[in-house]
């Protein structure tokens, strides 16, 4: 088989591959391949028709094969011409994409944004904020990591995440932070519990009712917020059980081991055996902030901040 190969032809092919055709000639050929009409192709390129004809002729000479079959009546692509047109169409598309990505990168609007978020923020702002950000900055990717508020602060300090969505009560001087929104709390109760029939509760109604919460180790800022809310109503919560993971916490509520407080954004995601009861107390709310590393934030972080602020502005403070 190898004895039948023309080594001179291989050398010619290799030589042609080392010298790429002129880009303007390829664009002229693409215009003709789309319209199969030299006059229309020339008009689309805003050049004279003879210039297009010369470009195609030179291109064929450079490549060493015919791209078009021309008669007085029509123009057709050769099989090689059709394959060439398809490939360079894709190549030009990739070049345009490369230029766009490079420009976005130069402007700081491309790459991966690493985002930490807490369980208490996942049901409200985070998903809508990420969707809006991806729509506004399509060249950027987002990596999401579930962390407690304190874990986010430490990860920001170490440079492991770019930005965190956490309770304002956890924020300190170790990073920059900005308040985003306030969200009302609701009481989560087992549907089989007699108090589940109530349409509203006050914090004082919960004085003698056991609670289930996450541990102080992972839910410390939230527990501090809840303790402060309860103290304003004259008591500290009686904690019957702990469950750090949200599914475990909800299961404890469903089993009537106790009630718990949670941001109202969870309402649409509750299982059927748990109900959410609004609280009359205006102070029964928590504040959510966004945090990032000290110093001037990256453009990508700034853009994400803008997206989150836009979504946060739509959240009703009375929800």
């Amino acid at each position: 088989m190898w004895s039948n190969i023309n080594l001179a032809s291989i050398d010619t092919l290799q030589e042609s591959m080392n010298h790429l055709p002129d880009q303007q000639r390829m664009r002229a050929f693409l215009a003709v391949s789309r319209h199969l009409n030299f006059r229309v192709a020339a008009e689309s390129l805003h050049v004279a028709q003879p210039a297009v004809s010369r470009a195609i002729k030179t291109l064929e000479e450079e490549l060493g094969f015919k791209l078009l079959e021309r008669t007085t009546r029509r123009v057709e692509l050769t099989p090689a011409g059709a394959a060439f047109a398809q490939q360079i169409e894709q190549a030009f598309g990739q070049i345009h994409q490369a230029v766009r990505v490079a420009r976005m990168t130069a402007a700081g609007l491309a790459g991966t944004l690493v985002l930490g978020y807490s369980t208490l923020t996942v049901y409200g702002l985070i998903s809508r904020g990420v969707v809006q950000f991806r729509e506004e900055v399509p060249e950027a990717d987002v990596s999401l990591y579930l962390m407690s508020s304190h874990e986010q602060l430490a990860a920001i300090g170490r440079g492991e995440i770019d930005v965190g969505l956490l309770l304002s009560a956890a924020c300190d001087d170790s990073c920059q932070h900005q308040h985003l929104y306030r969200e009302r709390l609701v009481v989560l109760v087992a549907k089989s519990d007699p108090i589940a029939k109530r349409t509203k509760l006050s914090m004082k109604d919960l004085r003698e009712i056991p609670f289930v919460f996450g541990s102080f180790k992972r839910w410390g800022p939230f527990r501090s917020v809840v303790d402060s809310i309860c103290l304003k109503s004259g008591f500290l919560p009686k904690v019957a059980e702990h469950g750090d993971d949200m599914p475990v916490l909800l299961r404890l509520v469903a089993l009537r081991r106790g009630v718990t407080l949670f941001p109202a954004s969870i309402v649409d995601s509750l299982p059927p055996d748990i109900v959410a009861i609004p609280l009359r107390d205006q102070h029964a709310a928590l504040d959510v902030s966004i945090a990032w590393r000290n110093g001037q934030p990256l453009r990508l972080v700034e853009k994400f901040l803008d997206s989150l602020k836009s979504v946060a502005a739509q959240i009703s403070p009375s929800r």
Side-chain angles (χ1 to χ4, degrees):
M1 177 177 72
W2 293 104
S3 61
N4 294 327
I5 295 177
N6 187 326
L7 295 179
S9 298
I10 293 177
D11 290 340
T12 301
L13 177 60
Q14 184 64 48
E15 181 70 18
S16 67
M17 291 174 65
N18 291 336
H19 296 85
L20 294 176
D22 178 77
Q23 188 179 125
Q24 293 303 318
R25 294 182 191 125
M26 288 193 288
R27 291 189 182 281
F29 166 65
L30 271 183
V32 175
S33 72
R34 292 172 185 147
H35 302 288
L36 295 178
N37 184 299
F38 276 79
R39 179 183 59 79
V40 177
E43 291 174 354
S44 71
L45 294 170
H46 306 288
V47 298
Q49 183 174 330
V52 175
S53 298
R54 285 194 301 270
I56 300 299
K57 184 175 184 298
T58 303
L59 183 59
E60 289 178 326
E61 291 172 354
E62 288 178 339
L63 294 171
F65 54 83
K66 293 187 70 174
L67 297 169
L68 301 166
E69 293 288 355
R70 287 156 281 193
T71 68
T72 56
R73 292 185 177 181
R74 63 183 181 177
V75 177
E76 291 183 348
L77 290 167
T78 65
F84 188 57
Q86 181 182 13
Q87 293 300 315
I88 62 174
E89 188 91 59
Q90 293 176 2
F92 279 137
Q94 290 174 343
I95 290 171
H96 287 307
Q97 174 70 0
V99 171
R100 186 173 65 189
V101 170
R103 284 176 175 163
M104 296 288 281
T105 301
L109 294 175
T112 300
L113 184 76
V114 185
L115 170 66
Y117 65 97
S118 73
T119 302
L120 294 156
T121 63
V122 67
Y123 297 97
L125 186 72
I126 185 69
S127 57
R128 290 155 57 189
V130 170
V131 168
Q132 181 160 318
F133 173 71
R134 290 300 304 273
E135 290 174 350
E136 294 173 347
V137 191
E139 305 303 333
D141 293 320
V142 179
S143 293
L144 299 167
Y145 294 93
L146 178 62
M147 300 176 170
S148 70
S149 294
H150 287 319
E151 288 171 340
Q152 289 182 57
L153 292 177
I156 290 171
R158 294 190 298 265
E160 295 172 356
I161 64 174
D162 298 311
V163 67
L165 198 63
L166 65 167
L167 297 191
S168 300
C171 294
D172 56 32
D173 294 336
S174 65
C175 64
Q176 294 189 65
H177 50 87
Q178 190 170 105
H179 180 266
L180 280 175
Y181 65 93
R182 166 167 277 214
E183 185 165 9
R184 297 292 297 276
L185 298 179
V186 294
V187 186
L188 302 186
V189 183
K191 195 172 185 179
S192 59
D193 194 307
I195 67 170
K197 297 176 182 178
R198 302 276 296 272
T199 57
K200 268 198 174 182
L201 290 169
S202 67
M203 287 301 302
K204 290 182 179 180
D205 295 328
L206 307 177
R207 186 189 299 267
E208 302 300 327
I209 295 177
F211 282 80
V212 294
F213 284 127
S215 67
F216 264 107
K217 182 177 180 179
R218 289 189 55 81
W219 292 61
F222 180 64
R223 291 285 301 272
S224 296
V225 169
V226 170
D227 283 352
S228 176
I229 291 170
C230 291
L231 280 173
K232 286 183 179 180
S233 299
F235 72 100
L236 278 173
K238 297 179 179 179
V239 182
E241 300 271 4
H242 289 100
D244 283 349
D245 295 326
M246 198 60 200
V248 174
L249 198 63
L250 291 177
R251 187 60 184 157
L252 290 172
V253 172
L255 290 173
R256 296 181 61 177
R257 300 298 299 166
V259 303
T260 196
L261 301 181
F262 209 82
S265 53
I266 197 176
V267 169
D268 294 334
S269 302
L270 287 174
D273 53 355
I274 295 177
V275 297
I277 305 174
L279 284 163
R280 294 188 180 91
D281 309 74
Q282 292 297 314
H283 67 279
L286 58 77
D287 293 296
V288 174
S289 291
I290 186 167
W292 63 96
R293 200 168 186 176
N294 279 324
Q296 185 67 26
L298 299 173
R299 183 73 186 95
L300 206 59
V301 173
E302 291 177 336
K303 190 63 180 174
F304 186 67
L305 290 175
D306 291 342
S307 297
L308 283 184
K309 289 175 189 175
S310 174
V311 173
Q314 303 168 28
I315 295 179
S316 170
S318 62
R319 186 176 65 185

